[in-house]
Amino acid sequence: DVKVTQSSRYLVKRTGEKVFLECVQDMDHENMFWYRQDPGLGLRLIYFSYDVKMKEKGDIPEGYSVSREKKERFSLILESASTNQTSMYLCASSKSGGYYEQYFGPGTRLTVT
Amino acid sequence: AQSVTQLGSHVSVSEGALVLLRCNYSSSVPPYLFWYVQYPNQGLQLLLKYTSAATLVKGINGFEAEFKKSETSFHLTKPSAHMSDAAEYFCALGASGTYKYIFGTGTRLKVLA
């Protein structure tokens, strides 16, 4: 059974803290994605990676960075968390090519106080 | 430019009634289209996908969708709603040559007893 796991389901952090969200997939997928999900806005792409050490900005990269040192692992970093980054964060992976479906992790609900 | 529009952010149906969730797309290249479902506090799960093989696509849990190029639509249907179908549904667009997917803003389905 294919699997995407995320390091935490719920996380509470203080403003200004550095936050790491980790995602691991076991399907040997080339592509990995980080989205944030907010009510009424759907899923917005933060960053994606199409290979180890390769990354591209998505639609809302400001305030975030990513790291992909191994094929199976893709980390999202909030350099200095702010309250407007309170959201649900979803990681996904897929084979290379726009016709392959994405597989999603369970999500991390991050609250920044 | 590519885009996805889901008509109706909230849809209510009675148990046993037809479910119809609407999705329209815009794409300058042949599209690949997906429907995902999200249950509360979970990630997204693939319901079905269109990749140009057949215009009527059957998915899991009794759902199906029909690709209509002339109408640029990919509406999701189920003949008879169950209480367990209550969830949020997302339409997504992919395209050959791109890593990115475009997601709609979602439709929350409520099933009334």
Side-chain angles (χ1 to χ4, degrees):
Chain A
D1 202 15
V2 297
K3 210 157 191 179
V4 178
T5 56
Q6 295 185 227
S7 51
S8 304
R9 293 299 305 275
Y10 299 92
L11 210 51
V12 180
K13 295 292 182 180
R14 293 193 180 276
T15 301
E17 278 193 85
K18 191 168 186 175
V19 181
F20 293 87
L21 302 182
E22 292 203 321
C23 175
V24 178
Q25 51 98 0
D26 66 359
M27 295 163 283
D28 201 35
H29 284 166
E30 294 82 10
N31 298 340
M32 295 188 76
F33 307 81
W34 275 107
Y35 295 92
R36 67 175 280 176
Q37 182 181 15
D38 300 288
L41 298 178
L43 275 70
R44 292 180 292 167
L45 182 64
I46 305 171
Y47 269 97
F48 68 99
S49 168
Y50 51 91
D51 202 348
V52 174
K53 297 190 187 294
M54 306 304 288
K55 60 187 179 186
E56 284 198 20
K57 293 179 180 179
D59 301 315
I60 53 164
E62 297 78 19
Y64 303 94
S65 62
V66 290
S67 172
R68 192 169 181 198
E69 297 295 321
K70 292 185 177 182
K71 190 175 186 180
E72 68 271 18
R73 189 179 298 268
F74 192 35
S75 300
L76 179 70
I77 303 151
L78 287 65
E79 296 290 343
S80 177
S82 64
T83 55
N84 63 14
Q85 293 178 309
T86 291
S87 187
M88 169 71 92
Y89 290 88
L90 293 168
C91 175
S93 72
S94 76
K95 290 184 183 179
S96 186
Y99 39 85
Y100 288 109
E101 64 269 30
Q102 296 187 1
Y103 291 87
F104 284 83
T108 295
R109 187 166 294 281
L110 173 67
T111 301
V112 183
T113 62
Chain B
Q2 293 183 300
S3 67
V4 171
T5 303
Q6 289 185 242
L7 298 174
S9 58
H10 292 81
V11 170
S12 293
V13 299
S14 298
E15 194 173 19
L18 172 72
V19 175
L20 171 61
L21 304 181
R22 299 177 189 274
C23 174
N24 288 90
Y25 71 92
S26 173
S27 180
S28 56
V29 297
Y32 301 102
L33 293 157
F34 308 84
W35 274 101
Y36 288 86
V37 61
Q38 184 181 34
Y39 298 104
N41 295 315
Q42 293 187 26
L44 277 68
Q45 177 185 355
L46 182 71
L47 274 178
L48 50 81
K49 63 179 179 180
Y50 166 77
T51 56
S52 77
T55 56
L56 183 62
V57 182
K58 293 187 183 300
I60 62 171
N61 301 340
F63 284 93
E64 63 182 37
E66 187 172 7
F67 174 73
K68 292 187 176 180
K69 186 178 178 180
S70 60
E71 298 178 10
T72 61
S73 68
F74 190 57
H75 301 332
L76 182 71
T77 60
K78 182 174 180 179
S80 176
H82 290 184
M83 297 299 290
S84 60
D85 294 327
E88 191 158 20
Y89 293 79
F90 291 92
C91 183
L93 169 68
S96 181
T98 177
Y99 303 108
K100 293 172 65 172
Y101 292 60
I102 308 297
F103 282 86
T105 52
T107 297
R108 188 169 296 278
L109 176 67
K110 187 174 181 179
V111 181
L112 306 171

